[in-house]
Amino acid sequence: MIPTINSISIHNLLPKVFAGEENSVQIQESDIWLKENTFEKGKRYLISAPSGAGKSSFCSYIACTRRDYIGKITYNDTDIATFKMNDICNIRTKAISYMTQNISLFPELTIMENIILKNRLTGFKSESEIRNMMEVLGIVQFSSRLAAHCSIGQQQRAQIITVLCQPFEFLIMDEPVSHLDEDNNTTAAKLISEELDRQGAGLITTSVGNPLNITNAIHLNL
């Protein structure tokens, strides 16, 4: 049984692939690597990073999908390296929602089928709530179109909806609006903010150049 996750802490964290580069300028100036840091539930964090700095690795580490790192990550005071597979499955369906940088929709399914597939696992949103989110993000008219036949921006908006179709205490998003223009970015940020407020959740999002237009975010550099 995984308790409520009130905080995610990193302790001298570093990707194993960066071992031997501890004294490099990039590592030394990072707010993340080889530092002590705590991300609190209910707060919003924007992590800016140059390409190749390890932002996708960082997201996958704190989302419990990879363990090729040095140091320690804790949920509350528990080292996530001690979690069993069943613990991680429970975390990923009830406490942590994770949007990867790469589009993870099934190309042979429609946009709606992709979203419904995720929601069937959680039963978290009603069909009317899903359609409302699609209308807000301007993709409801593409609901019956195969994901493979949609633009990357349309797919990215659909992927945002899928990660909102579950309960979570932290929402982790790796470059969530990299393919969206400013207007769609603002609309997506508002939808995400409303869900964060509704669930009282924390947000950790990364960006190389097009950050999520989220308000009241704590800015860190990777």
Side-chain angles (χ1 to χ4, degrees):
M1 179 68 178
I2 301 300
T4 297
I5 300 174
N6 293 311
S7 65
I8 298 175
S9 297
I10 55 174
H11 311 273
N12 295 310
L13 188 67
L14 189 70
K16 286 184 177 180
V17 71
F18 288 171
E21 300 179 22
E22 291 85 351
N23 294 319
S24 68
V25 173
Q26 179 175 308
I27 299 300
Q28 289 294 312
E29 293 183 351
S30 171
D31 295 320
I32 301 297
W33 303 136
L34 296 179
K35 301 296 192 302
E36 297 284 326
N37 236 316
T38 296
F39 304 91
E40 299 178 9
K41 181 181 177 182
K43 294 185 178 181
R44 302 168 188 190
Y45 301 86
L46 172 60
I47 299 174
S48 299
S51 181
K55 61 175 182 51
S56 294
S57 296
F58 171 71
C59 288
S60 64
Y61 296 158
I62 62 173
C64 281
T65 64
R66 286 171 54 187
R67 291 185 175 177
D68 55 318
Y69 57 82
I70 300 165
K72 186 167 70 172
I73 303 169
T74 58
Y75 289 174
N76 300 338
D77 295 317
T78 303
D79 188 341
I80 68 172
T82 65
F83 293 154
K84 306 300 183 184
M85 184 56 66
N86 187 57
D87 296 326
I88 294 172
C89 289
N90 286 333
I91 287 167
R92 290 295 304 279
T93 56
K94 299 176 182 177
I96 300 285
S97 189
Y98 175 33
M99 179 175 170
T100 63
Q101 176 187 1
N102 297 325
I103 301 297
S104 58
L105 302 181
F106 293 102
E108 69 276 14
L109 299 181
T110 67
I111 289 293
M112 178 62 83
E113 287 170 340
N114 271 282
I115 297 170
I116 292 296
L117 183 63
K118 168 63 179 292
N119 197 62
R120 282 177 181 165
L121 297 175
T122 64
F124 190 64
K125 295 289 186 182
S126 67
E127 186 172 339
S128 63
E129 287 176 314
I130 290 172
R131 285 198 169 273
N132 180 65
M133 288 191 289
M134 293 180 77
E135 288 178 359
V136 169
L137 293 186
I139 57 171
V140 70
Q141 65 270 35
F142 307 118
S143 61
S144 299
R145 183 178 296 181
L146 294 179
H149 297 163
C150 291
S151 70
I152 297 298
Q154 291 161 358
Q155 292 182 53
Q156 192 165 57
R157 281 175 277 169
Q159 187 158 298
I160 288 171
I161 295 173
T162 66
V163 298
L164 299 182
C165 285
Q166 72 166 80
F168 54 80
E169 283 145 10
F170 279 90
L171 176 60
I172 300 169
M173 311 183 87
D174 188 10
E175 288 201 73
V177 294
S178 57
H179 298 287
L180 303 187
D181 59 26
E182 185 174 353
D183 288 343
N184 280 313
N185 184 329
T186 299
T187 301
K190 184 174 184 294
L191 181 69
I192 292 165
S193 292
E194 289 171 351
E195 190 63 36
L196 290 169
D197 291 341
R198 190 176 295 114
Q199 299 201 44
L203 170 70
I204 301 172
T205 182
T206 65
S207 170
V208 168
N210 185 28
L212 183 67
N213 289 336
I214 207 81
T215 58
N216 302 319
I218 297 168
H219 290 252
L220 298 169
N221 293 313
L222 187 61

